[in-house]
Amino acid sequence: MRRLLFFIFSIVLLVMLAACSSSPAATPEPAQEDPGPVDTPIPPTPEATATPEPKQLPETSVLAVLGTAPDTTYKVDLPSFAPMTIEQGDLPAEPGQVEARWYVAGDRYVVAYVGLNYAPGDFLCPGNSILTAAGFLHVSNAPTDDGACEGFPTLTNDPVVGPVVCQGELLYVTAIPSSEQGLLFGTLEALTEDGDLVGLTSNIQSAAEMPVLDLDDFCG
């Protein structure tokens, strides 16, 4: 009986060993590769809006510097207008600093005061005229700021005539018709707290062919 049991146990053990040896081995999962650092997409930088270049005044040969010729720098007690020397600081410009550049715009002369570096609150009273065989004609003054020309007998009431700031330049649309020929006067004046009139002026002969300034384009 023992032998029979041992024989049966041996057969069962052999069957179990055979079953274990015939079972397929577990397939190891393949190792996953390291993808490395992931590039984070960078949003495109918006293009910077280019600052438009300021427009330039046309070239002109009809120009003159203020305050460099005799009697073109003055300080007077109103209303005598006797030529004198201005004190530094009475005007936001010094003799020789500002250039009057002349143009034609439509049916009028226009002057640009280049080099002035005008700022609102300077309280200037620009003025212009033309000297012909008939004398001084089309004289006008107009304020850059309210009250800057208080008491001026030549203060204009023409809404077209007067100063305008374009592209950082102080221009003055004059009362002088572009058909006139003569000596053009470009002037900057101001009133001091003491009631004096201080000024810088210039003059230049007009030309038969004046350069044209398109105000709508330049000031647009």
Side-chain angles (χ1 to χ4, degrees):
M1 184 68 180
R2 279 183 172 179
R3 289 183 174 179
L4 179 61
L5 290 175
F6 178 76
F7 178 73
I8 293 172
F9 177 76
S10 299
I11 293 174
V12 171
L13 181 60
L14 289 174
V15 171
M16 290 178 65
L17 290 173
C20 290
S21 62
S22 63
S23 299
T27 305
E29 294 185 6
Q32 297 194 6
E33 296 181 1
D34 184 0
V38 178
D39 292 333
T40 303
I42 300 175
T45 303
E47 294 184 5
T49 304
T51 303
E53 292 290 330
K55 297 177 182 178
Q56 301 298 316
L57 287 164
E59 294 292 329
T60 178
S61 60
V62 185
L63 52 88
V65 180
L66 277 68
T68 56
D71 296 341
T72 57
T73 299
Y74 50 91
K75 178 178 181 179
V76 299
D77 295 324
L78 291 177
S80 61
F81 292 97
M84 296 176 64
T85 302
I86 67 171
E87 297 176 1
Q88 187 175 0
D90 285 337
L91 278 172
E94 297 180 0
Q97 175 184 334
V98 181
E99 192 174 64
R101 299 185 186 180
W102 288 89
Y103 305 92
V104 164
D107 60 351
R108 297 171 183 261
Y109 282 101
V110 173
V111 60
Y113 295 101
V114 178
L116 175 61
N117 298 322
Y118 165 77
D122 284 341
F123 290 95
L124 294 177
C125 189
N128 306 100
S129 61
I130 187 169
L131 178 61
T132 70
F136 282 97
L137 302 175
H138 312 293
V139 183
S140 72
N141 287 84
T144 58
D145 305 89
D146 290 342
C149 299
E150 196 69 33
F152 273 56
T154 54
L155 181 60
T156 181
N157 58 6
D158 186 336
V160 177
V161 175
V164 57
V165 178
C166 297
Q167 306 296 327
E169 303 287 1
L170 178 66
L171 311 179
Y172 189 99
V173 181
T174 76
I176 308 168
S178 56
S179 58
E180 291 279 9
Q181 293 293 317
L183 203 59
L184 297 166
F185 282 76
T187 304
L188 292 174
E189 295 179 323
L191 296 171
T192 69
E193 293 182 357
D194 297 332
D196 296 327
L197 172 71
V198 292
L200 298 173
T201 191
S202 64
N203 59 78
I204 187 71
Q205 178 65 40
S206 62
E209 295 292 332
M210 295 287 295
V212 175
L213 176 61
D214 187 333
L215 286 175
D216 290 335
D217 177 69
F218 184 70
C219 298

